[in-house]
Amino acid sequence: MIQSRDPSRLFEVYGCDGERLYTVCGQYLGPRGNFGVFGPDGKEAACFRRIGSDSMGYYRVCVGGKEVFSVLKRFIGHRPALQLQGLLWHVRGDTATRSFDVTDRDGRVLMTHGLTVKNGQMAYGITLPENETQALYCLCIAMILDLSSSTLRPAPLAGGQI
């Protein structure tokens, strides 16, 4: 997942073979934001809306026109913390350096997430479950955590080095 420099396209998500899987478009409008996750065919796979700010925002994630879960994103100090509602999943790890994973209620890892470099560009390396619905939900969680209207770039690493 590579964060785009284009203000209207926020992320491009690529598969292992380099094929584009999703494009994330959106805009920040003060205390509100609207974001769409589009497949390579241009159809919307999911959308999420933010009410509040980057430091204290409530996101509603919709698939097929129905809200499937929500996320409360809060910054405690300078570390983002997520509270998932509607999913019995957990986010664990270091969200400040973007090194985290998502587990189901039985502790099975569904997604891993960390910073990496792809073609000389900073990117987020993500492993996803084979289940397409779970993978889409995991991507939405990752995008919500990685979004930052103030910088629109990957969060700095501890010590500033890779």
Side-chain angles (χ1 to χ4, degrees), residues 115-118 120-123 157-162:
L115 279 172
T116 188
V117 176
K118 180 174 175 58
Q121 189 176 6
M122 288 190 64
L157 293 170
Q161 298 179 12
I162 295 180

Side-chain angles (χ1 to χ4, degrees), residues 59-155:
Y59 295 80
R60 292 186 347 211
V61 179
C62 299
V63 175
K66 295 181 183 176
E67 183 176 336
V68 290
F69 67 96
S70 59
V71 177
L72 177 61
K73 178 180 174 183
R74 300 171 294 165
F75 277 78
I76 300 171
H78 63 278
R79 294 191 175 279
L82 298 182
Q83 180 180 355
L84 303 175
Q85 299 168 342
L87 292 175
L88 296 176
W89 295 358
H90 304 282
V91 177
R92 63 181 188 183
D94 190 345
T95 55
T97 62
R98 304 304 199 257
S99 179
F100 63 91
D101 59 24
V102 173
T103 63
D104 67 12
R105 67 179 174 183
D106 296 323
R108 289 184 294 254
V109 175
L110 299 172
M111 176 188 77
T112 62
H113 180 288
L115 279 172
T116 188
V117 176
K118 180 174 175 58
N119 299 330
Q121 189 176 6
M122 288 190 64
Y124 300 109
I126 300 172
T127 59
L128 295 169
E130 289 185 25
N131 178 294
E132 191 173 332
T133 301
Q134 287 181 336
L136 184 59
Y137 293 177
C138 286
L139 275 174
C140 288
I141 292 168
M143 292 171 206
I144 289 168
L145 187 55
D146 293 334
L147 281 170
S148 173
S149 64
S150 60
T151 58
L152 282 181
R153 65 177 182 262

Side-chain angles (χ1 to χ4, degrees), residues 29 39 54 105:
L29 298 172
D54 285 339
R105 67 179 174 183

